[in-house]
Amino acid sequence: FLTIGSGSSTVADISGLANIRTIGESVLILNTNLSNLDGLQSVNSIGVGLTIQGNQALTDITSLASLVSLSGFIAVLDNNQLSNLIGLQNIDPNGITELNIRLNDVLTTCAIESICSYLGLPENSVNISSNADGCDNEEEVEAQCELAGNLCIDAVSIDEILGQELGVPQTTALFDNSMYNAVDTPTNGFDCFEANTEPITNSIWFQFTGDGNRYRITTGQCDATDYIEDGDTQLALYQR
């Protein structure tokens, strides 16, 4: 076991755990004063289950991104400042036996790769309730998971509009990004954006394979009837 915290813990720093890679039993992170989980960034395997509960200062669990193997449950309970589950996205869903996400007051984004895949398994055990809108129940999370391009791994291909006649604009289908979130948005690469101090919201991932030609890619109103004028739509390009 690895237990961090207790019934009335004052733990605020776990950087001394940075060399731990494998934990054979459960990991319990309970009632700490941690704002992040820096110190667990090397953990890639947990033998039984993971509980993150009652950590009222916790806003960031991205240090768990190395975790790929877990054989048991995931419980995220009563963490009142945690808004998303980025950090748990790389866990193999086939090792998860139970998913319990409840009582996280500002948790809006649960649609990460591991959870979306687990919800799609025919036999799963899920309790998602009493979180913020977007992650308040299983149906809301599934709706987010079904949005093509919401996650980088599920990026929408625009290859079909490349390689067409020179000088003739090509357009994709219309996209409504009002239901999208920014859970999978990188932390850099958009320094040139206007008002780049504001958070990225409602982002959609697209992908294409270069063919050696030059292209200008822009967004536009096309035939949309509810287009937001001056909607601050901007593009960032990343290479895989």
Side-chain angles (χ1 to χ4, degrees), residues 62 65 84-90 109-114 116 144 147-155 180-188 190 200-206 238 240:
T62 56
N84 66 73
L85 299 181
I86 302 174
L88 303 181
Q89 68 272 15
N90 296 319
T109 303
C110 297
I112 57 176
E113 183 180 350
S114 56
C116 290
Q144 290 281 346
L147 294 174
N150 199 35
L151 301 175
C152 178
I153 194 172
D154 192 33
Y180 285 73
N181 57 54
V183 65
D184 207 18
T185 300
T187 57
N188 54 51
F190 44 85
I200 302 298
T201 59
N202 305 95
S203 56
I204 304 178
W205 282 97
F206 296 89
Y238 299 87
R240 286 189 176 183

Side-chain angles (χ1 to χ4, degrees), residues 162-216:
L162 303 185
Q164 305 300 320
E165 184 179 348
L166 183 65
V168 178
Q170 303 293 318
T171 59
T172 68
L174 292 173
F175 287 88
D176 179 353
N177 69 335
S178 60
M179 291 293 292
Y180 285 73
N181 57 54
V183 65
D184 207 18
T185 300
T187 57
N188 54 51
F190 44 85
D191 304 44
C192 62
F193 280 14
E194 294 181 13
N196 62 32
T197 58
E198 297 180 5
I200 302 298
T201 59
N202 305 95
S203 56
I204 304 178
W205 282 97
F206 296 89
Q207 64 177 339
F208 64 90
T209 301
D211 58 10
N213 294 314
R214 289 186 177 184
Y215 295 95
R216 181 186 182 205

